[in-house]
């Protein structure tokens, strides 16, 4: 066994540049696969925060672009298990211009309830009271305030697009918490600024449960209540609501799997060519080994062993690079995009894929080397 390891090491060192480049190629492939798995984990397997598990979102069953009547609020509040319920409208609009750095989420909410329902956000009491008293008050997330240089008392204007008016706000509160990439303003300000023809329409109702144990029951009762109404509803957990935006892009899981499969297939072809080249260069040496008594299975094991060493080395480098990039991404606060990390099972998949690439690319060259006759090998001059 020791002599086999010695020969594997010698063979890998005979062309250091090629060995290093092959390891780096494998590492890049593992990194790409690890990044895809990190995206998958972020979207579908991130841990749901305790506060988020207490919230349901009720929207129009047909589409988010359809609205619900305001009077649904009282009927939803009457459902057993509901603690608080609040109207919540996406405003849209443009601040200064449409550059990405000036984009942030803007919601019309009930100022009396918003920080009870989103209790993970912390806001100084005096700022909260100032926000509640001012009909044109604006509560801004700390991440937005730091990025755009907002300060208390500052006046800003948002140019409307969905709604036909340009609201003017005074920043009265700055709140902090995870996913604080948003601002809140008074629902009444939006309602009073619209013409009567708009009516009082609600994009979504945010429901805070008395206990997360009520989630399934409350969602079913709310939807049953409005099943035959002109505006039927769909009620789901906050996490499921957020994922519904991703599902609009199509079958994201299949898309990620397809990309990973393409990466593995491409790397198989590249690695197979590299291993085949390496084996061809050592054809005479393989003949000498067989002359010295090395059986075919030992020659097979030597070639496969080299591939495994390169695959494992590439996997280690690739996984380490994935964790490094994920750590850097953790410092970038993006709404609904937290938890960008490689799951534990993802590490195992990365190593498994590296071994599949390594063994798959070396299987044919190894078999050819093992079956080469001594006379043919010694006659080889290529």
């Amino acid at each position: 066994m020791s002599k086999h390891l010695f020969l594997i090491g010698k063979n890998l060192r005979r062309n250091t540049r090629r060995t290093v480049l092959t390891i780096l190629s494998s590492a890049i492939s593992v990194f790409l696969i690890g990044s895809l798995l990190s995206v998958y984990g972020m979207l579908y397997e991130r841990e749901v925060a305790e506060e988020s598990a207490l919230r349901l979102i009720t929207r129009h069953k047909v589409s988010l672009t359809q609205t619900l009547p305001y009077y649904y609020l009282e009927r939803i509040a009457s459902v057993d298990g509901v603690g608080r319920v609040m109207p919540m409208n996406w405003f849209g609009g443009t601040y200064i211009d449409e550059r990405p750095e000036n984009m942030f989420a803007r919601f019309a909410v009930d100022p009396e309830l918003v920080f009870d329902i989103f209790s993970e956000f912390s806001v100084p009491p005096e700022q909260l009271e100032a926000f509640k008293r001012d009909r044109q008050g604006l509560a801004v997330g700390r991440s937005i305030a730091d990025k755009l240089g907002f300060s208390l008392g500052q006046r800003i204007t948002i140019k409307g697009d969905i709604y036909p008016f340009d609201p003017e706000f005074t920043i009265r509160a700055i709140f902090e918490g995870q996913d604080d990439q948003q601002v809140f303003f008074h629902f009444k300000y939006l309602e009073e600024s619209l013409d009567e023809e708009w009516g009082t329409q609600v994009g979504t109702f945010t429901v805070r449960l008395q206990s997360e144990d009520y989630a399934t029951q409350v969602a079913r009762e709310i939807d049953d209540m409005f099943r035959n109404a002109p505006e039927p509803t769909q009620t789901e957990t906050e996490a499921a609501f957020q994922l519904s935006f991703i599902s609009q892009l199509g079958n994201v899981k299949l898309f990620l799997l397809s990309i990973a499969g393409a990466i593995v297939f491409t790397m198989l072809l590249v690695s197979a060519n590299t291993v085949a080249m390496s084996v061809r260069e050592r054809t005479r040496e393989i003949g000498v080994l067989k002359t010295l008594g090395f059986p075919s299975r030992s020659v097979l094991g030597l070639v496969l062993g080299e591939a495994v060493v390169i695959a494992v080395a590439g996997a280690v480098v690739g996984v380490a690079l994935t964790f490094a990039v994920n750590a850097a991404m953790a410092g970038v606060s993006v709404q609904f995009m937290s938890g960008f990390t490689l799951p534990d099972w993802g590490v195992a998949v990365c190593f498994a894929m590296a071994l599949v690439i390594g063994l798959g690319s070396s299987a044919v060259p190894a078999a050819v080397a093992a079956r080469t006759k001594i006379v043919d090998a010694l006659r080889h001059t290529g």
Side-chain angles (χ1 to χ4, degrees), residues 255-302:
F255 178 69
L256 295 175
L257 181 61
S258 299
I259 295 177
I263 292 171
V264 172
F265 178 73
T266 302
M267 193 58 203
L268 271 172
L269 296 180
V270 174
S271 297
N273 182 65
T274 302
V275 175
M277 185 185 303
S278 176
V279 171
R280 281 197 302 269
E281 291 176 354
R282 305 203 310 267
T283 301
R284 289 178 62 86
E285 296 178 14
I286 291 172
V288 172
L289 289 176
K290 287 193 169 186
T291 302
L292 294 175
F294 277 74
S296 296
R297 63 176 180 274
S298 295
V299 175
L300 180 71
L302 286 174

Side-chain angles (χ1 to χ4, degrees), residues 5 60 66 117-118 121 125 140 142 182 202 223 238 266 271 380:
L5 294 177
H60 198 289
Q66 303 293 318
I117 291 177
F118 294 95
F121 294 141
V140 179
R142 171 61 65 184
Q182 54 200 304
V202 179
D223 292 342
E238 187 176 68
T266 302
S271 297
H380 182 77

Side-chain angles (χ1 to χ4, degrees), residues 90-94 98 106 158-166 198:
W90 169 271
F91 182 77
T94 302
E98 296 184 352
R106 310 165 186 103
I158 304 294
K159 183 179 180 180
D161 46 20
I162 300 174
Y163 297 97
F165 86 107
D166 302 336
W198 281 78

Side-chain angles (χ1 to χ4, degrees), residues 183-201:
V183 302
F184 299 125
F185 66 95
H186 289 230
F187 187 89
K188 286 294 183 182
Y189 180 37
L190 173 64
E191 180 184 25
E192 294 171 357
S193 300
L194 298 176
D195 297 334
E196 291 185 1
E197 62 184 61
W198 281 78
T200 304
Q201 296 295 312

Side-chain angles (χ1 to χ4, degrees), residues 67-71 73 86-91 106-114 131-132 134-138 163 165 167 169 183-194 198-206:
T67 57
L68 300 171
Y70 187 84
Y71 72 83
L73 187 146
M86 172 187 73
M88 194 167 182
N89 278 16
W90 169 271
F91 182 77
R106 310 165 186 103
F107 294 103
V109 298
D110 185 336
E112 299 292 335
L113 295 177
V114 60
F131 170 59
K132 291 179 178 179
D134 187 354
R135 185 62 60 90
Q136 291 182 289
L138 189 70
Y163 297 97
F165 86 107
F169 300 110
V183 302
F184 299 125
F185 66 95
H186 289 230
F187 187 89
K188 286 294 183 182
Y189 180 37
L190 173 64
E191 180 184 25
E192 294 171 357
S193 300
L194 298 176
W198 281 78
T200 304
Q201 296 295 312
V202 179
T204 62
F205 289 100
T206 302

Side-chain angles (χ1 to χ4, degrees), residues 14-270:
R14 66 183 291 134
N15 193 326
T16 306
R17 178 184 301 176
R18 182 165 60 202
T19 299
V20 171
L21 289 177
T22 305
I23 290 175
L24 290 178
S25 298
S26 179
I28 294 299
S29 299
V30 170
F31 165 69
L32 293 175
I33 294 172
S35 297
L36 292 173
L37 294 178
S38 297
V39 172
Y40 181 93
M42 175 194 65
L43 295 177
Y44 300 105
E45 294 197 356
R46 65 174 177 170
E47 183 178 354
V48 178
E50 181 179 354
E51 292 298 322
S52 179
L54 288 171
R55 289 192 291 267
L56 299 178
I57 306 295
T58 298
R59 61 178 178 87
H60 198 289
K61 186 176 183 179
V62 175
S63 169
L64 271 173
T65 61
Q66 303 293 318
T67 57
L68 300 171
Y70 187 84
Y71 72 83
Y72 277 18
L73 187 146
E74 291 187 3
R75 297 187 63 184
I76 293 173
S78 67
V79 174
D80 186 35
V82 172
R84 300 176 183 86
V85 58
M86 172 187 73
M88 194 167 182
N89 278 16
W90 169 271
F91 182 77
T94 302
Y95 173 67
I96 301 180
D97 54 40
E98 296 184 352
R99 289 181 299 171
E101 54 265 33
N102 291 324
M103 296 179 65
F104 51 88
R106 310 165 186 103
F107 294 103
V109 298
D110 185 336
E112 299 292 335
L113 295 177
V114 60
F115 291 107
D116 291 332
I117 291 177
F118 294 95
S119 57
E120 66 269 29
F121 294 141
S122 61
V123 56
E126 65 278 6
Q127 295 182 21
L128 178 58
E129 288 304 314
F131 170 59
K132 291 179 178 179
R133 289 195 303 267
D134 187 354
R135 185 62 60 90
Q136 291 182 289
L138 189 70
V140 179
R142 171 61 65 184
S143 298
I144 297 297
D146 291 344
K147 182 175 70 173
L148 298 177
F150 288 158
S151 59
L152 294 176
Q154 181 177 343
R155 297 278 295 179
I156 68 171
T157 300
I158 304 294
K159 183 179 180 180
D161 46 20
I162 300 174
Y163 297 97
F165 86 107
D166 302 336
E168 297 182 357
F169 300 110
T170 301
I171 298 176
R172 296 301 185 187
I174 297 178
F175 60 90
E176 299 182 6
Q178 188 177 15
D179 292 334
D180 57 2
Q181 296 274 322
Q182 54 200 304
V183 302
F184 299 125
F185 66 95
H186 289 230
F187 187 89
K188 286 294 183 182
Y189 180 37
L190 173 64
E191 180 184 25
E192 294 171 357
S193 300
L194 298 176
D195 297 334
E196 291 185 1
E197 62 184 61
W198 281 78
T200 304
Q201 296 295 312
V202 179
T204 62
F205 289 100
T206 302
V207 179
R208 184 178 176 91
L209 302 168
Q210 295 174 2
S211 168
E212 62 180 276
D213 296 334
Y214 286 104
T216 303
Q217 169 192 330
V218 169
R220 183 177 61 251
E221 290 188 19
I222 292 175
D223 292 342
D224 287 344
M225 185 184 300
F226 304 110
R227 188 172 304 281
N228 297 317
E231 293 87 9
T233 62
Q234 178 173 324
T235 304
E236 54 199 346
T237 63
E238 187 176 68
F241 176 73
Q242 293 171 3
L243 280 177
S244 66
F245 291 97
I246 303 298
S247 64
Q248 294 175 10
L249 300 175
N251 193 333
V252 177
K253 293 182 179 180
L254 179 61
F255 178 69
L256 295 175
L257 181 61
S258 299
I259 295 177
I263 292 171
V264 172
F265 178 73
T266 302
M267 193 58 203
L268 271 172
L269 296 180
V270 174

